[in-house]
């Protein structure tokens, strides 16, 4: 029988990363029972071992960090933070999946996890007025900047904001990866470098507001960057928050769209940052649009299967989560499944190529933009 080496220094590090909640766990096992990819991962055992400073569970890399298990935890343990804290230790010990390590190298060498050329980061903005004149800084996710499908979302956002008289500026030559994947893998030194570099670029523009296109980027700028001495120079909002405010204040009036739609709550927008109503506010103001909720919604929403690095590691077990969510969306008899996260769009659209559910996946701002043309 293998011996376990207790390491209280490791325990204290993970404890700090979980904001002290690691000690609250009394091993009821509800987290494992509710985990969306259980039995592929033993959450209960990961937590118990972390409590005594043992971080050896390689199955922790399967975690989607969706926080679904936290909705059922009776003690309020920040389980995803415990796992992310453990990954820092594992990465230091050079225990990380090869695909995630390769992704980090792409981010290091090219400034984005896709490995696309740095000079092409602003290609999406060609023909749009985003060079000067605005005190609102747009910060794009790498996916929204490079992925051709998701570039359409970013362009739609700029066009919709222009209709409301809102001009944005963009850091053509300085914006880099937000570091979400770096954070998910646990490479703290590289993350600190990225965070401080991005904030330095933002400071040059002296923005009054920073608008982000991805819930993951939003979480990084608002919740993670300050831990690494990199506080953004202005308030940060997800684009759905800004659009909802523009609509309710009367500065932007949606048009009409006769369609039945259902909305998927991205984990990092919802459970991580408590943004549930703003995307729905946008959709509910579209005349003719009928919004139907899925069985699991808001804080109880299922995951798309792409978080926690799963999108980059090609986590096979996560695909079952993707399919389950698509089945729920199909059950509403909606024509369109709407969301507000680049990872969610890609996860769902990629799965639809195989599963052939009768659905179209769209971003909230794409739906809004289609009513204004």
């Amino acid at each position: 029988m293998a011996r376990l080496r207790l390491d209280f220094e490791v325990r204290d590090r993970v404890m700090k990363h979980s904001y002290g909640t690691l000690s609250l766990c009394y091993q009821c096992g509800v987290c494992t029972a509710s985990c969306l990819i259980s039995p592929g991962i033993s959450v209960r055992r990961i937590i118990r071992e972390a409590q005594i400073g043992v971080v050896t569970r390689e199955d922790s890399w399967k975690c989607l960090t969706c926080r679904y298990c936290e909705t059922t935890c009776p003690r309020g343990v920040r389980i995803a933070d415990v796992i992310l804290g453990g990954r820092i230790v594992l990465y230091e010990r050079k225990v990380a999946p090869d695909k995630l390590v390769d992704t980090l190298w792409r981010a290091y060498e090219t400034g984005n996890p896709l490995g696309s050329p740095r000079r092409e980061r602003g290609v999406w903005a060609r023909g749009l007025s985003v060079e000067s004149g605005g005190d609102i800084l747009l910060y794009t996710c790498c996916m929204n900047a490079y992925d051709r499908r998701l570039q359409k979302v970013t362009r739609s956002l700029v066009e919709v904001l222009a209709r409301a008289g809102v001009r944005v500026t963009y850091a053509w030559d300085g914006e880099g990866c937000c570091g979400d994947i770096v954070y998910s893998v646990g490479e703290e030194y590289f993350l600190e470098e990225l965070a401080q570099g991005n904030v330095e670029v933002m400071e040059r523009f002296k923005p009054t507001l920073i608008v982000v296109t991805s819930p993951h980027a939003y979480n990084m700028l608002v919740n993670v960057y300050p831990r690494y001495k990199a506080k953004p120079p202005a308030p940060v909002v997800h684009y759905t928050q800004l659009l909802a405010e523009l609509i309710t204040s009367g500065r932007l009036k949606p048009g009409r769209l006769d369609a039945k739609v259902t909305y998927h709550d991205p984990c990092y927008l919802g459970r991580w940052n408590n943004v549930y109503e703003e995307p729905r506010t946008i959709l509910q103001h579209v005349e003719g649009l009928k919004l139907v909720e899925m069985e699991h919604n808001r804080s109880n929403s299922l995951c798309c299967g792409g978080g926690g690095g799963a999108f980059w590691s090609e986590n096979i077990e996560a695909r079952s989560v993707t399919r389950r969510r698509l089945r729920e969306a199909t059950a509403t008899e909606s024509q369109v499944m709407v969301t507000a996260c680049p990872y969610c769009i890609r996860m769902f659209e990629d799965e639809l190529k195989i599963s052939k559910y009768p659905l179209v996946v769209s971003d909230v701002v794409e739906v809004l933009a289609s009513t204004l043309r």
Side-chain angles (χ1 to χ4, degrees):
M1 182 176 179
R3 294 182 179 181
L4 294 178
R5 180 183 177 184
L6 309 188
D7 191 328
F8 296 117
E9 180 182 351
V10 168
R11 179 201 61 186
D12 292 343
R13 289 179 65 187
V14 178
M15 183 79 71
K16 182 179 180 180
H17 202 84
S18 72
Y19 299 90
T21 62
L22 173 61
S23 63
L24 300 177
C25 175
Y26 54 23
Q27 289 290 292
C28 68
V30 172
C31 53
T32 295
S34 62
C35 176
L36 295 176
I37 59 172
S38 181
I41 176 174
S42 178
V43 184
R44 176 183 180 180
R45 184 165 180 174
I46 290 172
I47 300 298
R48 180 54 188 151
E49 291 188 354
Q51 287 180 322
I52 56 176
V54 176
V55 178
T56 59
R57 301 287 297 182
E58 292 190 35
D59 61 351
S60 67
W61 294 106
K62 297 180 181 180
C63 177
L64 306 176
T65 63
C66 66
R67 282 190 159 173
Y68 186 79
C69 59
E70 294 182 21
T71 65
T72 61
C73 177
R75 298 286 288 164
V77 179
R78 296 181 62 134
I79 299 169
D81 287 314
V82 171
I83 290 176
L84 289 168
R87 287 184 181 182
I88 293 174
V89 177
L90 288 173
Y91 184 81
E92 289 174 354
R93 296 173 180 171
K94 302 187 185 305
V95 181
D98 290 341
K99 288 183 179 179
L100 291 182
V101 174
D102 291 343
T103 303
L104 290 190
W105 274 110
R106 290 196 298 272
Y108 180 77
E109 292 171 348
T110 67
N112 67 91
L114 294 90
S116 300
R118 293 176 187 270
R119 65 179 181 276
E120 295 181 4
R121 190 170 185 101
V123 168
W124 67 268
R126 287 177 179 169
L128 298 176
S129 299
V130 293
E131 296 185 33
S132 61
D135 57 359
I136 295 179
L137 178 64
L138 177 64
Y139 181 85
T140 65
C141 168
C142 294
M143 298 294 291
N144 285 104
Y146 289 107
D147 186 281
R148 290 191 177 184
R149 161 66 181 95
L150 298 168
Q151 286 175 346
K152 298 176 183 177
V153 176
T154 320
R155 291 183 64 87
S156 292
L157 176 59
V158 173
E159 291 168 352
V160 168
L161 289 175
R163 291 288 291 267
V166 177
R167 300 178 66 184
V168 298
T169 189
Y170 176 64
W172 290 79
D173 60 348
E175 180 184 84
C177 178
C178 72
D180 171 71
I181 181 58
V182 183
Y183 181 62
S184 293
V185 177
E187 221 290 27
E188 289 198 291
Y189 296 105
F190 182 27
L191 176 58
E192 182 175 7
E193 178 185 332
L194 278 176
Q196 293 181 359
N198 279 327
V199 168
E200 287 176 5
V201 171
M202 294 174 186
E203 289 173 341
R204 294 207 309 260
F205 291 84
K206 297 181 173 55
T208 59
L209 185 70
I210 299 170
V211 180
V212 297
T213 57
S214 167
H216 294 262
Y218 177 78
N219 184 67
M220 292 300 295
L221 268 62
V222 173
N223 299 318
V224 180
Y225 275 26
R227 300 185 209 166
Y228 295 89
K229 302 176 183 178
K231 185 177 180 180
V236 180
V237 298
H238 184 260
Y239 81 83
T240 56
Q241 294 172 300
L242 176 59
L243 292 181
E245 191 279 326
L246 291 173
I247 289 173
T248 55
S249 66
R251 293 179 61 186
L252 181 63
K253 183 174 176 57
R256 183 179 184 88
L257 179 64
D258 293 309
K260 186 176 183 181
V261 308
T262 190
Y263 176 70
H264 165 76
D265 290 278
C267 301
Y268 273 73
L269 190 60
R271 279 187 291 271
W272 277 85
N273 287 289
N274 202 36
V275 178
Y276 295 109
E277 300 311 317
E278 288 89 336
R280 290 175 169 82
T281 295
I282 297 168
L283 296 172
Q284 288 165 348
H285 277 78
V286 174
E287 187 178 355
L289 185 149
K290 182 178 181 181
L291 178 61
V292 184
E293 296 288 357
M294 284 181 264
E295 178 183 352
H296 293 83
N297 61 78
R298 294 180 171 82
S299 63
N300 195 38
S301 174
L302 299 182
C303 178
C304 75
F311 180 88
W312 305 102
S313 66
E314 299 178 15
N315 186 333
I316 301 301
E317 288 166 293
R319 286 292 177 176
S320 64
V321 179
T322 312
R323 289 191 292 272
R324 181 180 174 185
R325 191 55 164 167
L326 287 171
R327 287 196 296 271
E328 275 203 356
T330 302
T332 67
E333 299 183 345
S334 297
Q335 299 145 308
V336 185
M337 183 186 194
V338 184
T339 188
C341 172
Y343 285 151
C344 293
I345 290 177
R346 286 309 308 267
M347 290 297 292
F348 290 134
E349 289 190 339
D350 287 351
E351 185 60 35
L352 284 173
K353 295 174 184 177
I354 303 171
S355 302
K356 305 295 184 182
Y357 290 100
L359 280 171
V360 172
V361 178
S362 184
D363 192 278
V364 171
V365 73
E366 290 180 307
V367 171
L368 179 60
S370 70
T371 74
L372 301 175
R373 292 172 184 146

